[in-house]
Amino acid sequence: MDWSAEAIEQLRALWAEGHSTAEIGRRMGISKNAVVGKAHRLHLPARPSPIQREQAAAASAAPRPIAAVAPVAAPAPRPVMPVAPRPPAPAMRAAPPAVVRPFPRSGARTCCWPIGEPGTPEFRFCTSESFAGKPYCLEHASIAYVKARDRREDAA
DNA sequence: CCCTGATTCGC
DNA sequence: GCGAATCAGG
């Protein structure tokens, strides 16, 4: 796997969207192991894992030795937030394919990212729910909205 | 057996 | 750094 900046962006976006590692792998055409391995190396926020070795296992097995002395603060429910988006500030501008929204699709708040080659039978739009009022889902917004600085590099 | 994600370890 | 193998749980 060539972990280009774009690939990493996509991984981050999909991970942030809460897809399973296998699903991300399917979308990116790589194995879930590759996904989880890379996510791990990128220090992406770990998701609740079904397994535990030693640490948590011992913790859950530990019968609360000093319960009486430990009122214990609430241990963070971890609602798995959809993640704080990088702000699409004025410094950013859309850099999507030229043709976006050739026709309005019943005002649905769905991602308008085009998929496939326009004019071909395979051509369609991403159907994910759009993100934060933008015309794209989080995944594609991460590609569509590019920091001005990065754009310069890209164009250079 | 299907799925999940984390860690390990040879490469 | 990478990811298959493996582990451990649902």
Side-chain angles (χ1 to χ4, degrees), chain A residues 3-156:
Chain A
W3 285 110
S4 63
E6 288 75 22
I8 292 175
E9 266 307 285
Q10 198 185 6
L11 170 59
R12 287 200 143 104
L14 290 165
W15 187 271
E17 278 188 327
H19 297 291
S20 72
T21 57
E23 176 62 22
I24 295 173
R26 271 175 243 129
R27 293 207 189 190
M28 297 184 68
I30 59 182
S31 72
K32 67 143 191 160
N33 300 55
V35 170
V36 81
K38 184 60 178 176
H40 191 65
R41 266 168 250 126
L42 285 173
H43 304 115
L44 292 179
R47 300 237 201 58
S49 170
I51 79 164
Q52 327 140 357
R53 3 180 128 181
E54 285 191 64
Q55 299 189 10
S60 63
R64 242 180 218 281
I66 47 170
V69 195
V72 175
R78 298 234 305 153
V80 186
M81 290 273 93
V83 118
R86 291 176 295 281
M92 299 176 149
R93 62 185 180 81
V99 268
V100 177
R101 235 201 297 247
F103 47 84
R105 289 183 301 142
S106 62
R109 297 170 305 333
T110 51
C111 179
C112 287
W113 189 269
I115 296 181
E117 196 62 27
T120 68
E122 291 76 22
F123 181 72
R124 63 201 159 83
F125 289 94
C126 174
T127 54
S128 297
E129 190 174 342
S130 63
F131 173 68
K134 286 192 279 298
Y136 308 111
C137 66
L138 211 188
E139 174 186 356
H140 289 126
S142 75
I143 306 173
Y145 297 95
V146 162
K147 289 192 178 74
R149 176 175 49 78
D150 292 343
R151 279 256 92 215
R152 295 170 58 87
E153 294 173 3
D154 194 53

